[in-house]
Amino acid sequence: GPPPRPGAGGPQRPRGTSAAVRPERAPGPQAVAWQVSVALLVAITVSAWGLHVLLAGMAWIGAVVVTASIALGAAAGLRTRTRNRVLPPLAGIGALTLAVTAVFGQGTTPLVVIPTFDTIARFVALTQEAQASIYRQAVPAVAEPSIIFVLCLGVGILAVLCDFLAIALRSPALVGIPLVAVLAVPAFTSPGSTDPVVFVLAAVAYLAVLLAGRPQRQPGIAAGIAASAIVGALLVPAVLPEIDDVPDTLPGGVSTGVNPVLGLGDDLRRSRERTALTYETASGEGHYLRLVTLEDFTGDAWQPTDRETDTANDVQRFVAAPGLDDDVPRAEETSSIDVRRLTSTWLPLPYPPTSVNGLDSDWYWDAETFATSAPDDTASGQDYVVESAILQPTPEQLLAAGSSQAPGLEAYLALPDDLPAVIAETGASIAAQSGTDYERAIALQEYLRSSEFRYSESAPVEGDYDGTGMDVIAQFLDVRAGYCTHFAGSMAVMARTLGIPSRVAVGFLPGSPESNADGREYFEVTTHDLHAWPELYFDGIGWIPFEPTPGRGELAAYADVAAEGVPDPPAEDEQVAPTPTPDVAAPEDEAPVDPGALDGDVGSATQEDSTLSRTVLIVLALLGMSLVPALVRASQRWRLVTRLRAGEASAADAWHEVMRTAVDHRVAITHTTTPAQTAAAIGVGGRHLGVLLDAVEREGYAATTLTRPGDLVGDVTAVRRDIAAAASTRVRLLAVVYPASLWRTIAHPLTREE
């Protein structure tokens, strides 16, 4: 008999086609659960690894991976035993709770893994401790146990959420939302430190999740979404406005104990000044506070010598300073230091200290440098009293020290073989008329403090100029503009070329005198007081500081050429000008620069230019990202036309494109409507829609094959044009930037009726 008419006996769907763009049904959870779980573990691991730009070390990533594996594994294991969609994620939450309790709830539960109220209290305390640690640390932060706890708990919850979205809700595309949230953390926390490789790998892992959770692959659409994610992930961190660092922190090198000059230039350039510590002295005088010394000059940088901590060196009693004879004049000083949120692995102390009391934990001093550190603590929050000696060697004693050095100081004279010749030539020319190490040191200091050099925290910043390597020093001697690390490093290296043992100290200037409401005087030290200065060794006196940075710090009596007995530096006509380093661009502004102005006018202008550039980049990035869905839909249409003209497509394929266009323009269509009902819902298209409806019904019900499918290209184009013409301007715009058919195909929601 004749085939039944469409609509007779209820809605019927033609064979080989669909009435609308049906969402592809994911198979049962049991069929692909293990593939999705593995893909989720990879995606979560890669996304979490993006935090490596914020955290030092590797131990935390292992803990995170184990936690995610436990949560996902428990959910996947139960899923093999039940078809219930809710129970497996609950099993993941249970396994996560037991694991976190076993590791971080020690001593709060008698059953090891069963949490109690004490366990909850401990977790709250750990969370608060992690928050305080993150608040006080600079990037890269030390992954303390409290931070690892928060990471494990957060990633475990993320794993359960992703499992629920991808498998229980059968919407793997929604997994991208929490993954992007994790990837965005470095961009908002420390702009410019994001790792583009992680974003690319995360996009690939996300694509794997999409493919693992779908029985019918759509690589074109998935690739489009992945491309959009990559574009957004790479552009957004680059165009985000800069966020001020965590209050009251030091550069990453000071925080991690790796190299304290790293980031010092950035910290000096920040417009926001933060209090690092306050202190009082018995004499009422301010003093340099030293954190650590850099003795090892590799050629690439000055850095601390790696020595094993000697736990016998208790801070309650220091030995005599190296090289210091009893006849060197000194004044006894007592300093009460209150450290704020200064996350430093070293303790700020005047040099040389004789005892420290009042510290909360165990601190030990280095026998060579007196740098004081704690294996399990930072200086943040410490309140202590320091007894120290203020050395006051006389010019006569320093002159008498001559140029001979005691044995054992070879490490403080070491220089790389490929040291640029201009450094040694400059040192030799400056000290050519000096007879003793003391006179040479004064000559070097005064040369760098002369009008030929200027203090600048900003010029030039480009080209890795924020460093202390020999190439930077050679450039600095030609440019003659820089900040404290350039002056200190240059004087120390030139001193070594002259045979004077030297090292670089990093710490704080004396700070600014203040008084509280009771009239009690104290000194306030801020991040703008971060400083570096050279220390030179003299036989019988030991290590004493010099101040070559113009406009910064204070000159000791023995280093002040205006003081009686201090030798005058050589006159300029007595110095031999060295050959300058070629191809080094001098800064444009040659006039002396007020250091405070650099943080104001120059910084403001740079910030305005940077804000304008970022605004333009944001607009361009948003425009580029908005075109990705449109390009995907254009690609779908182009492929359909190509296949129709080649005879490789069917009427059902042409009908699918019409349905996608209708869905894009917010026509109310569901996956249960028949072609006739769908045509009625569209309501436009006239003869062309009728041709397509007749073709799809004949193909579906009568199993007839079109001899010339290419004839349908014009009809599809005409219907698409009529659907767009019938929609409002707002809907047409949405159809381009947010094609609902594309997102519905991926994320499975029904079309919203408007």
Side-chain angles (χ1 to χ4, degrees), residues 56-68:
M58 297 286 292
W60 63 272
I61 188 63
V64 163
V65 173
V66 170
T67 304

Side-chain angles (χ1 to χ4, degrees), residues 361-437:
S361 53
D362 294 329
W363 291 74
Y364 307 101
W365 46 270
D366 178 73
E368 290 286 333
T369 66
F370 282 5
T372 302
S373 61
D376 302 311
D377 204 353
T378 67
S380 178
Q382 298 287 347
D383 188 356
Y384 51 96
V385 177
V386 185
E387 300 291 340
S388 62
I390 308 304
L391 302 184
Q392 300 170 339
T394 65
E396 292 75 18
Q397 288 176 317
L398 289 166
L399 287 169
S403 301
S404 60
Q405 303 296 341
L409 296 172
E410 293 78 12
Y412 298 98
L413 293 168
L415 291 170
D417 295 334
D418 56 345
L419 186 75
V422 67
I423 299 177
E425 292 172 359
T426 301
S429 67
I430 295 168
Q433 305 300 319
S434 302
T436 65
D437 284 350

Side-chain angles (χ1 to χ4, degrees), residues 451 454-455 589-594:
S451 60
R454 64 184 181 87
Y455 181 86
D589 49 339
E590 293 296 338
V593 177
D594 178 11

Side-chain angles (χ1 to χ4, degrees), residues 471-484:
D471 293 333
V472 174
I473 292 174
Q475 183 182 6
F476 165 74
L477 291 176
D478 186 72
V479 173
R480 302 187 181 186
Y483 55 94
C484 56

Side-chain angles (χ1 to χ4, degrees), residues 217-229:
R217 288 11 178 195
Q218 287 190 323
I221 296 177
I225 300 301
S228 178

Side-chain angles (χ1 to χ4, degrees), residues 241-593:
E242 184 173 357
I243 301 174
D244 243 353
D245 284 2
V246 177
D248 302 333
T249 60
L250 279 181
V254 172
S255 299
T256 61
V258 179
N259 190 336
V261 298
L262 295 177
L264 193 148
D266 289 336
D267 205 83
L268 289 172
R269 282 188 290 270
R270 291 190 184 99
S271 59
R272 181 179 176 184
E273 190 173 12
R274 306 172 180 90
T275 300
L277 58 91
T278 60
Y279 70 97
E280 301 175 18
T281 61
S283 66
E285 300 292 329
H287 306 294
Y288 282 62
L289 299 177
R290 193 160 60 108
L291 289 167
V292 67
T293 59
L294 317 178
E295 313 92 42
D296 186 9
F297 183 64
T298 63
D300 294 327
W302 283 93
Q303 59 189 23
T305 301
D306 186 14
R307 281 187 286 265
E308 186 175 353
T309 301
D310 188 348
T311 56
N313 295 341
D314 186 85
V315 293
Q316 292 184 349
R317 184 178 182 277
F318 288 74
V319 298
L324 179 62
D325 289 346
D326 293 336
D327 60 348
V328 175
R330 71 202 71 186
E332 302 299 327
E333 180 67 285
T334 301
S335 304
S336 299
I337 301 177
D338 182 10
V339 179
R340 303 290 179 87
R341 292 185 177 92
L342 167 60
T343 305
S344 168
T345 57
W346 298 288
L347 198 67
L349 298 171
Y351 181 85
T354 56
S355 69
V356 181
N357 292 281
L359 294 171
D360 293 337
S361 53
D362 294 329
W363 291 74
Y364 307 101
W365 46 270
D366 178 73
E368 290 286 333
T369 66
F370 282 5
T372 302
S373 61
D376 302 311
D377 204 353
T378 67
S380 178
Q382 298 287 347
D383 188 356
Y384 51 96
V385 177
V386 185
E387 300 291 340
S388 62
I390 308 304
L391 302 184
Q392 300 170 339
T394 65
E396 292 75 18
Q397 288 176 317
L398 289 166
L399 287 169
S403 301
S404 60
Q405 303 296 341
L409 296 172
E410 293 78 12
Y412 298 98
L413 293 168
L415 291 170
D417 295 334
D418 56 345
L419 186 75
V422 67
I423 299 177
E425 292 172 359
T426 301
S429 67
I430 295 168
Q433 305 300 319
S434 302
T436 65
D437 284 350
Y438 177 43
E439 293 173 299
R440 297 185 185 101
I442 293 295
L444 292 176
Q445 173 187 271
E446 293 307 302
Y447 171 71
L448 294 171
R449 292 178 64 87
S450 69
S451 60
E452 297 185 30
F453 287 83
R454 64 184 181 87
Y455 181 86
S456 170
E457 295 166 0
S458 61
V461 176
E462 299 80 7
D464 295 328
Y465 197 64
D466 277 359
T468 58
M470 56 187 181
D471 293 333
V472 174
I473 292 174
Q475 183 182 6
F476 165 74
L477 291 176
D478 186 72
V479 173
R480 302 187 181 186
Y483 55 94
C484 56
T485 59
H486 300 108
F487 287 92
S490 298
M491 180 170 174
V493 172
M494 286 192 291
R496 288 193 178 187
T497 65
L498 297 174
I500 308 173
S502 66
R503 61 191 186 189
V504 174
V506 178
F508 292 98
L509 293 170
S512 303
E514 305 287 346
S515 60
N516 56 24
D518 298 331
R520 190 170 183 175
E521 296 183 351
Y522 65 94
F523 290 86
E524 182 181 34
V525 178
T526 72
T527 50
H528 283 184
D529 291 315
L530 277 167
H531 195 52
W533 62 91
E535 292 184 341
L536 275 56
Y537 186 92
F538 296 89
D539 193 27
I541 299 169
W543 295 98
I544 58 173
F546 287 83
E547 185 51 87
T549 306
R552 300 280 284 175
E554 300 175 356
L555 290 172
Y558 59 80
D560 188 352
V561 293
E564 184 179 355
V566 178
D568 293 327
E572 292 186 7
D573 56 1
E574 296 177 350
Q575 300 176 5
V576 181
T579 304
T581 304
D583 301 327
V584 179
E588 295 179 0
D589 49 339
E590 293 296 338
V593 177

Side-chain angles (χ1 to χ4, degrees), residues 190-206:
S190 182
S193 65
T194 50
D195 187 348
V197 175
V198 171
F199 285 114
V200 175
L201 294 177
V204 174
Y206 174 63

